[in-house]
Amino acid sequence: MKLWSDSWTNGDRIGAKYAAGKLDGDKGVTFSDNLNPHLAWADLPVGTKSLVLICHDFDVPSKGDDVNQSDREVPSDLPRVDFFHWLLVDLSPAVTRIAEGEFSRGFTPRGKPGPAAPHGARQGLNDYTGWFAGNPEMAGPYFGYDGPFPPFNDSLVHHYVFTLYALDIARVPVEGAFTGVQLRAAIAGHVLDAATYSGTYTLNKRLAR
């Protein structure tokens, strides 16, 4: 099973147009184009009945005390947690690619609608739902893809992993506004094979040079 992209080379830096946030000169950071990347795949295992795509960042600070503070950096030795950027389920194995910008173009305050998605698939909630929960102007259910927007003062470059799973079931047993934790639990025991594609991103000017 193979997964690839024309959007960047596997393991390299992700372009700002695929991110939710970007550097904005002396102003700091701002929202970016937030296009979902191109992805394509081949050599699915025999018996594949549906595909699941998960994008997550495993470098997110476990505590927010130092996040986005201009007078200090988030320590590199701070424990890190997963942040889910995209949950796509029930994708037909007849589909072999996702076009750039097909699922996301621009960052939508209060979140894009869901769970219905192109190709008859469904999308879950990404973790911007929780991040913006206390912000009256931004709070809402964030379905689908919303790309990187790491803390501008993080001492670590963040890693973003796209994982495509081939499943032996046609419909994943999750409903409504499901989360990444719920999805991982639901597909356990149903994965025939998986493939990954990754990239890095930072908004720390010291690291972005």
Side-chain angles (χ1 to χ4, degrees), residues 20-143:
K22 64 180 179 180
L23 291 171
D24 189 24
D26 295 336
K27 297 179 182 178
V29 296
T30 188
F31 286 107
S32 191
D33 299 325
N34 200 40
L35 301 178
N36 71 267
H38 161 269
L39 291 167
W41 50 88
D43 300 337
L44 301 180
V46 175
T48 299
K49 294 183 179 178
S50 71
L51 302 171
V52 163
L53 180 66
I54 295 177
C55 174
H56 80 289
D57 169 9
F58 56 77
D59 290 313
V60 173
S62 57
K63 293 170 57 179
D65 301 10
D66 297 315
V67 167
N68 292 333
Q69 300 298 316
S70 59
D71 62 340
R72 58 189 182 273
E73 288 192 347
V74 178
S76 61
D77 60 355
L78 181 73
R80 305 291 169 141
V81 297
D82 288 342
F83 186 104
F84 293 96
H85 285 266
W86 198 4
L87 307 173
L88 180 64
V89 306
D90 301 346
L91 194 61
S92 168
V95 178
T96 59
R97 66 187 294 274
I98 288 171
E100 178 180 298
E102 184 177 8
F103 286 76
S104 177
R105 287 183 174 272
F107 194 86
T108 304
R110 301 188 182 277
K112 293 187 286 292
H119 304 295
R122 293 181 293 144
Q123 297 182 117
L125 293 177
N126 68 55
D127 282 341
Y128 286 106
T129 303
W131 176 254
F132 287 121
N135 184 329
E137 296 180 357
M138 299 295 290
Y142 283 74
F143 285 93

Side-chain angles (χ1 to χ4, degrees), residues 112-185:
K112 293 187 286 292
H119 304 295
R122 293 181 293 144
Q123 297 182 117
L125 293 177
N126 68 55
D127 282 341
Y128 286 106
T129 303
W131 176 254
F132 287 121
N135 184 329
E137 296 180 357
M138 299 295 290
Y142 283 74
F143 285 93
Y145 178 80
D146 285 308
F149 204 149
F152 65 74
N153 66 331
D154 203 338
S155 59
L156 290 184
V157 173
H158 285 222
H159 294 77
Y160 299 84
V161 182
F162 293 79
T163 306
L164 185 73
Y165 299 89
L167 304 187
D168 63 1
I169 52 176
R171 191 179 195 279
V172 177
V174 288
E175 302 298 335
F178 58 90
T179 66
V181 172
Q182 291 170 332
L183 177 54
R184 281 180 170 171

